[in-house]
Amino acid sequence: MIRSLLVAAFLSVSAVAHAQAPNAAQQQADAAALQAVTGKMNAYVALMNRTMRASESIARYKSWVDMDKGPVNTNRAFGLYQLYDVTKLVADASKALNTEPKLADLDASMKAYIEAYSQLAPIVDEANTYYERKDYLDDNLARGKQIHTRLVPAAAAFLAAREKVEQAFQVEQTKLAQKELAAIEQSEGRKANWHRTNLMLAAQRIIDRMPSNEAPVVDVAAFEANVSLFATASKDFDDYRKSDPEALKSLEGPVQSFLAASREFRDAIKPVKGDVRRGGGQKLQSVVNAYNALVGTANNLAN
């Protein structure tokens, strides 16, 4: 449903490069380390975002095809989505696999993801051409059924690989954000930049718990804990602004909206034990919209 958002809010660590470490040598070392890991993860982010198109294409195919039986009705042959050219992004991510620092789980899952995508993409392209040209009208879906037998396992492998790389990315993203937060506190104290970063880290934890098509059941207890964490970060932000009312003023509204939407979604999924297929779907979109507004505002302030 919104798994693409997991990589959309990658927190900027540009401010960390300017953090005042205990001495110049340590400062340079810390900045270099953060730039290295950020560069690697940005290469991964770019590929993950662009190849989300494959997930969308699979979802479109599933919307009209029984995955067990394959295509059977020429009047309901709606095809797939054409994939984007990701040649350069694949090359960049593949290169990043071998750069320092080594991120064992993320590097391994990204390598598997690239391989799974490389297996899937040609099949999707073949299927897209077949349906766009309406070749199925001449062969009564015969070739479409043959493509289906190859598409199903490739799609399953790709979706599983994407789920795994997203999980590994979340772990490394949280580590990096915590380093950023600590560096900002050391450099500037708990002032405007620290609160902006703290809020976005807390918001990301909520998004990490959101459902996907593959995992539609939310861990309600964990989600509730993350909402409470964001509420605490929001209160700390409000307390700070009492001493500096103009600081991050434009962030106040988006923070309130995201917290309100998250609480409403939490309350909507509680009665159905976190299963968004049974409830909370409308509230889910409100969380997505509020999160996008929050990210946009926070990024503008960071820039």
Side-chain angles (χ1 to χ4, degrees), residues 46-111:
L47 178 62
M48 291 167 68
N49 279 342
R50 199 65 171 165
T51 51
M52 174 60 73
R53 182 68 167 180
S55 299
E56 296 168 350
S57 185
I58 293 168
R60 177 174 174 81
Y61 186 71
K62 287 182 176 180
S63 72
W64 64 273
V65 173
D66 184 321
M67 296 301 278
D68 292 329
K69 298 179 181 178
V72 296
N73 189 343
T74 56
N75 293 322
R76 290 185 57 81
F78 301 136
L80 304 84
Y81 293 135
Q82 184 175 6
L83 302 183
Y84 302 133
D85 182 3
V86 294
T87 304
K88 184 179 184 302
L89 297 178
V90 169
D92 290 344
S94 298
K95 182 179 179 180
L97 290 171
N98 300 313
T99 62
E100 296 293 338
K102 297 297 184 182
L103 307 173
D105 289 343
L106 179 56
D107 290 344
S109 59
M110 178 53 68
K111 182 179 180 181

Side-chain angles (χ1 to χ4, degrees), residues 295-303:
V295 169
T297 303
N299 285 347
N300 287 336
L301 289 168
N303 293 332

Side-chain angles (χ1 to χ4, degrees), residues 128-147:
N128 179 65
T129 299
Y130 175 78
Y131 288 106
E132 283 297 310
R133 293 178 178 176
K134 299 188 183 298
D135 291 342
Y136 57 87
L137 295 178
D138 286 350
D139 69 0
N140 195 31
L141 286 168
R143 185 157 164 250
K145 293 176 181 178
Q146 191 277 328
I147 293 174

Side-chain angles (χ1 to χ4, degrees), residues 10-22:
F10 185 61
L11 298 178
S12 169
V13 297
S14 58
V16 182
H18 303 290
Q20 297 300 312

